[in-house]
């Protein structure tokens, strides 16, 4: 069995970036630029007006005010798109529209609102003159030539993924076409005697071919061009013919026929066409996967077409597409970022991992109180494609793990987020644990003070075994609680308080969901049983044994050296403790 990462690495090692092609800029959305773009012009090409108003010489407006306007002679008007011919001489102004070039002599634009134009117009006054009502600084409302783009500058670098704004910049530079890495043509073949085409009636024992459409839509979504080959039957002849039809493409994706079923002959056919490997990938769904290169002789030239054989079950084929075909398509398109963005979320259901492969669990993700929550979208059979329609993420339960309990944190791959998002980080948390009397509360207070000194925003979380009364009898909020409200939230300019009635201890994840994401560090006291990173305070006088197992501890703070393989920090050295926490949990995140 190989890991997901190994399988992906093997796939990508056979995939090459495609060649560039020149095409109209509007067809390039999402593609990778294959040339550096230098500006051959200035944008804007000339100094121009940022406002409708009057182009003036700033020095002519000195001392102007509502009560004593500076009067200037209006020598003309310039609209956007035209070039002024006369010059603004001392004591004159020119009416100007936004975007119009600043006339020679002028160095500022006074907007209409700061002139007496409106009152002149309403009183049918003399428009050959204008009163300026406030002084203008040199450069006021003037957009200088080359402010956006200066001639000769490198504006877009080779390798840039073109978004609408880059396409706009290309247009502003006068490029109607761009050189981009071309989109891969991906041939798609469904296999199986049980399949009928989407527009054909179902006969007993038959099902519609859905994989072709899921895969084709995925190919389009990631920028490839799907070429649908249709359905190959479970016979050597049919599959051979179909596969040959697909060999003009840049990649071939088949679905079905890679497991050990009696009629699964895809492998036999493929083995005759090139190199093919059948992998058992340590993942669920999607264990059986085929990957190889099909050789094709076109004239004298031999072409190699990578082939990915996905499992037939609709969910398995989609999830394996996401993990392996999607990065392959992105690589062919010249993209550099392949991982789907992942977030950390509180899982809302128990999940058991029976055979300890890496589980990809379909979840629906919501954001509440600053944390993401992921809930499983019903039965997870690999044939239940509607479980994907309710999902927007895949929770990853690592291989080797027995599963997770509701309330645990899990990593979730966000299916609908673009790759460029990268990893979304959550606030780092560390808990200080220790026997009672070990001094952990004092220590925590010292740590909080130390982190505040370092300029961090710190949240502290404390567990208490006793009932706590924090609302004061007689207060409005107390009255609401007495009347039966399950939660009372008090918001004021300096504090936000939530008092929520619960019938059991909350898990650390539930607590974190209320703390919010605006902190640099959460320091907790206690929560020994939770999975958050822990530092245990050990004191000689309280006995040699530790509360937590070694593998659960990030470090111990101790007043005697212990013979264990866990980092040890000297009791009393708060700076060293803060350094350790900073280095291990907060920096380079
Ligand atoms: P296979 O990998 O060929 O053994 O197929 C596994 C399961 O996936 C079987 O139940 C197939 O009927 C189903 N299946 C295979 N191909 C498709 C397809 N193109 N569309 C929908 N279901 C499929
Ligand atoms: Mg089959």
């Amino acid at each position: 069995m190989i890991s997901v990462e190994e399988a992906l690495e093997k796939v990508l090692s056979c995939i090459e970036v495609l060649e560039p092609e020149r095409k109209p800029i509007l067809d390039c959305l999402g593609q990778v630029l294959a040339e550096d773009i230098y500006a051959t012009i200035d944008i804007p090409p000339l100094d121009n007006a940022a406002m409708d108003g009057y182009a003036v010489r700033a020095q002519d407006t000195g001392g102007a005010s509502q009560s004593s306007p500076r009067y200037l002679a209006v020598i003309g008007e310039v609209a956007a798109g035209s070039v002024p011919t006369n010059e603004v001489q001392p004591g004159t102004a020119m009416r100007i529209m936004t975007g119009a070039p600043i006339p020679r002599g002028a160095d500022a634009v006074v907007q209409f609102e700061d002139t007496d134009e409106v009152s002149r117009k309403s009183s049918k006054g003399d428009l050959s003159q204008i009163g300026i009502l406030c002084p203008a600084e040199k450069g006021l409302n003037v957009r200088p030539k080359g402010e956006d783009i200066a001639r000769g500058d490198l504006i877009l670098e080779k390798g840039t993924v073109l978004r609408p704004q880059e396409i706009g910049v290309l247009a502003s530079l006068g490029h109607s076409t761009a050189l981009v890495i071309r989109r891969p043509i991906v041939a798609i073949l469904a296999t199986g005697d049980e399949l009928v085409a989407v527009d054909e009636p179902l006969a007993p024992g038959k099902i519609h071919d859905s994989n072709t459409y899921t895969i084709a839509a995925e190919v389009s979504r990631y920028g490839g061009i799907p070429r649908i080959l249709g359905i190959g039957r479970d016979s050597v002849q049919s599959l051979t013919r179909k596969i040959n039809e697909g060999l003009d493409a840049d990649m071939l994706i088949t679905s079905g026929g890679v497991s050990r079923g009696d009629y699964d002959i895809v492998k036999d056919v493929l083995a005759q066409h090139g190199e093919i490997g059948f992998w058992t990938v340590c993942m669920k769904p999607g264990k059986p996967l085929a990957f190889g290169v099909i050789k094709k002789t076109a004239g004298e030239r031999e072409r190699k077409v990578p082939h990915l054989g996905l499992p037939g079950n609709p969910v398995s084929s989609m999830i394996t597409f996401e993990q392996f075909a999607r990065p392959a398509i992105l690589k062919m398109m010249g993209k550099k970022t392949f991982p789907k963005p992942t977030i950390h979320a509180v899982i809302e259901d128990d999940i058991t991992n029976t055979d300890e492969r890496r589980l990809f669990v379909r979840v629906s993700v919501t954001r509440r109180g600053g944390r993401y929550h992921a809930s499983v979208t019903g039965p997870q059979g690999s044939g239940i494609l509607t479980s994907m329609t309710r999902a927007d993420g895949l929770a990853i339960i690592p291989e080797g793990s027995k599963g997770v309990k509701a309330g645990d944190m899990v990593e979730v791959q966000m299916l609908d987020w673009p790759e460029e998002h990268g990893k979304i980080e959550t606030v780092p948390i560390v808990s200080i644990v220790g026997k009672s009397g070990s001094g952990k509360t004092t220590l925590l207070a010292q740590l909080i003070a130390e982190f505040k000194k370092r300029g961090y925003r710190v949240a502290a979380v404390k567990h208490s075994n006793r009932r706590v009364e924090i609302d004061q009898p007689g207060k409005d909020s107390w009255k609401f609680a007495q009347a039966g409200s399950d939660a009372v939230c008090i918001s004021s300019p300096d504090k936000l308080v939530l008092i929520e009635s619960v019938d059991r201890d909350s898990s650390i994840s539930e607590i974190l969901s209320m703390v919010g994401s605006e902190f640099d560090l959460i320091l907790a006291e206690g929560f020994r049983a939770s999975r958050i990173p822990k530092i245990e305070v050990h004191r000689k006088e309280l006995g040699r044994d530790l509360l937590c197992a070694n593998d659960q501890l990030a470090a111990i703070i101790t007043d005697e050296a212990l013979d264990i393989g866990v980092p040890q920090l000297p009791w009393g050295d708060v700076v060293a403790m803060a350094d350790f926490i900073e280095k291990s949990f907060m920096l380079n995140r």
Side-chain angles (χ1 to χ4, degrees):
M1 198 140 60
I2 62 173
S3 71
V4 173
E5 285 72 25
E6 262 175 275
L8 177 60
E9 207 180 295
K10 287 185 184 198
V11 170
L12 291 180
S13 72
C14 297
I15 301 288
E16 276 167 23
V17 179
L18 299 177
E19 67 281 7
E21 64 178 354
R22 183 164 292 284
K23 48 195 253 194
I25 51 173
L26 209 45
D27 297 341
C28 297
L29 185 63
Q31 284 182 270
V32 173
L33 192 63
E35 58 182 343
D36 285 335
I37 301 289
Y38 286 89
T40 51
I41 51 173
D42 287 308
I43 299 176
L46 297 167
D47 291 355
N48 69 94
M51 288 277 202
D52 292 340
Y54 285 84
V56 300
R57 298 158 58 94
Q59 65 191 74
D60 287 354
T61 65
S65 69
Q66 291 278 353
S67 53
S68 70
R70 291 283 169 273
Y71 294 103
L72 302 172
V74 179
I75 56 164
E77 178 170 317
V78 52
S82 59
V83 179
T85 45
N86 42 3
E87 186 175 342
V88 174
Q89 306 275 1
T92 69
M94 196 181 287
R95 202 163 184 270
I96 193 165
M97 300 300 138
T98 304
I102 305 290
R104 254 180 317 120
D107 55 15
V109 172
V110 177
Q111 60 184 29
F112 287 146
E113 293 80 347
D114 293 330
T115 70
D116 62 4
E117 190 189 90
V118 174
S119 60
R120 270 172 199 271
K121 278 189 169 158
S122 57
S123 62
K124 299 222 160 51
D126 172 18
L127 289 173
S128 69
Q129 242 202 3
I130 193 72
I132 305 293
L133 306 179
C134 62
E137 296 248 318
K138 211 169 160 171
L140 179 74
N141 297 325
V142 174
R143 299 192 288 217
K145 160 181 169 172
E147 170 187 63
D148 181 3
I149 287 174
R151 183 202 296 237
D153 281 0
L154 175 59
I155 304 302
L156 295 174
E157 247 175 282
K158 193 171 164 168
T160 304
V161 178
L162 299 179
R163 302 170 299 167
Q165 50 270 56
E166 280 80 25
I167 288 175
V169 165
L170 285 167
S172 70
L173 288 169
H175 292 264
S176 61
T177 63
L179 193 69
V180 290
I181 309 289
R182 77 175 169 84
R183 298 181 187 279
I185 296 168
V186 181
I188 299 162
L189 175 63
T191 70
D193 284 341
E194 75 279 29
L195 303 176
V196 299
V198 63
D199 49 0
E200 277 172 23
L202 288 176
K206 307 285 183 188
I207 57 170
H208 285 302
D209 159 27
S210 63
N211 287 352
T212 290
Y213 294 90
T214 316
I215 295 169
E218 287 262 47
V219 168
S220 307
R221 167 188 247 187
Y222 294 111
I225 302 167
R227 178 186 296 167
I228 293 176
L229 301 177
I231 300 166
R233 297 302 166 195
D234 290 323
S235 75
V236 171
Q237 207 189 357
S238 164
L239 284 180
T240 306
R241 202 183 62 235
K242 283 288 184 187
I243 285 171
N244 278 326
E245 281 173 28
L247 294 187
D248 289 339
D250 299 301
M251 177 155 126
L252 169 68
I253 297 181
T254 57
S255 71
V258 288
S259 58
R260 282 204 204 106
D262 287 344
Y263 295 96
D264 294 345
I265 50 168
V266 171
K267 21 183 145 180
D268 303 334
V269 174
L270 287 170
Q272 293 164 12
H273 284 75
E275 305 140 30
I276 184 89
F278 291 91
W279 300 339
T280 333
V281 185
C282 182
M283 66 187 286
K284 186 181 178 178
K287 184 160 79 169
L289 191 76
F291 182 74
V293 263
I294 303 175
K295 296 201 180 85
K296 191 198 170 174
T297 17
E300 305 100 76
R301 232 164 54 87
E302 193 188 70
R303 287 188 63 224
K304 282 184 175 172
V305 183
H307 164 244
L308 195 52
L310 307 180
N313 274 308
V315 175
S316 313
S317 82
M318 185 169 176
I319 290 180
T320 46
F321 182 100
E322 278 288 334
Q323 306 309 316
F324 307 111
R326 180 187 57 80
I329 290 172
L330 295 177
K331 181 172 178 185
M332 284 192 267
M333 293 185 65
K335 302 212 175 172
K336 300 268 164 23
T337 320
F338 307 136
K340 268 284 169 193
T342 58
I343 55 164
H344 288 102
V346 180
I347 191 79
E348 299 196 315
D349 310 84
D350 291 351
I351 299 169
T352 26
N353 191 0
T354 44
D355 57 4
E356 302 195 11
R357 284 184 268 154
R358 185 180 303 183
L359 284 188
F360 289 87
V361 182
R362 287 136 261 168
V363 293
S364 143
V365 175
T366 47
R367 194 178 162 91
R368 297 197 300 275
R371 288 265 144 173
Y372 291 104
H373 295 254
S375 68
V376 177
T377 62
Q380 297 286 296
S382 54
I384 304 176
L385 190 54
T386 50
S387 66
M388 283 302 288
T389 65
R390 288 185 288 269
D392 52 9
L394 297 174
I396 300 169
I397 312 301
E399 47 268 63
S401 116
K402 297 259 184 276
V404 289
K405 291 256 166 287
D408 285 346
M409 295 301 280
V410 294
E411 203 176 324
V412 181
Q413 261 181 23
M414 297 305 286
L415 288 169
D416 302 327
W417 290 11
E419 285 68 18
E420 285 76 19
H421 259 290
K423 218 177 170 80
I424 314 297
E425 291 293 354
T426 41
V427 183
I429 178 166
V430 191
S431 177
I432 307 293
V433 298
K435 292 177 189 157
S436 87
S438 61
K440 53 184 190 295
T441 306
T442 314
L443 187 88
L444 209 91
Q446 290 170 344
L447 278 172
I448 292 169
E450 177 65 24
F451 280 111
K452 288 307 288 179
K453 208 160 81 192
R454 297 182 186 197
Y456 292 113
R457 287 205 72 191
V458 182
V461 177
K462 156 90 194 158
H463 184 259
S464 167
N465 287 317
R466 284 183 292 276
R467 291 179 61 93
V468 287
E469 253 353 300
I470 61 164
D471 207 4
Q472 291 158 25
K475 293 275 181 201
D476 289 357
S477 51
W478 181 84
K479 289 179 191 158
F480 297 156
Q482 290 300 304
S485 73
D486 297 308
V488 180
C489 187
I490 312 167
S491 156
S492 73
D494 71 330
K495 283 194 184 65
L496 177 67
V497 183
L498 174 67
I499 307 168
E500 189 180 332
S501 303
V502 291
D503 52 10
R504 58 175 172 85
D505 262 350
S506 307
S507 74
I508 189 71
S509 318
E510 287 167 311
I511 298 165
L512 294 183
S513 68
M514 294 168 11
V515 173
S517 55
E518 67 273 35
F519 300 95
D520 301 308
L521 176 66
I522 300 170
L523 283 170
E525 184 185 329
F527 299 96
R528 190 150 45 101
S530 73
R531 290 192 186 193
I532 55 179
K534 287 181 275 285
I535 298 178
E536 178 162 349
V537 184
H538 169 75
R539 304 297 299 280
K540 193 156 55 179
E541 75 242 33
L542 298 176
R544 288 213 68 113
D545 58 312
L546 290 172
L547 282 178
C548 297
N550 291 357
D551 61 354
Q552 294 178 351
L553 288 174
I556 57 169
I557 291 167
T558 175
D559 54 3
E560 64 172 339
L562 294 184
D563 185 20
I564 56 169
V566 175
Q568 307 195 13
L569 302 162
W571 165 255
D573 189 346
V574 177
V575 171
M577 295 174 207
D579 284 348
F580 176 83
I581 293 173
E582 203 173 35
K583 190 169 112 266
S584 316
F585 304 107
M586 302 167 72
L587 303 175
N588 310 316
R589 280 168 55 81

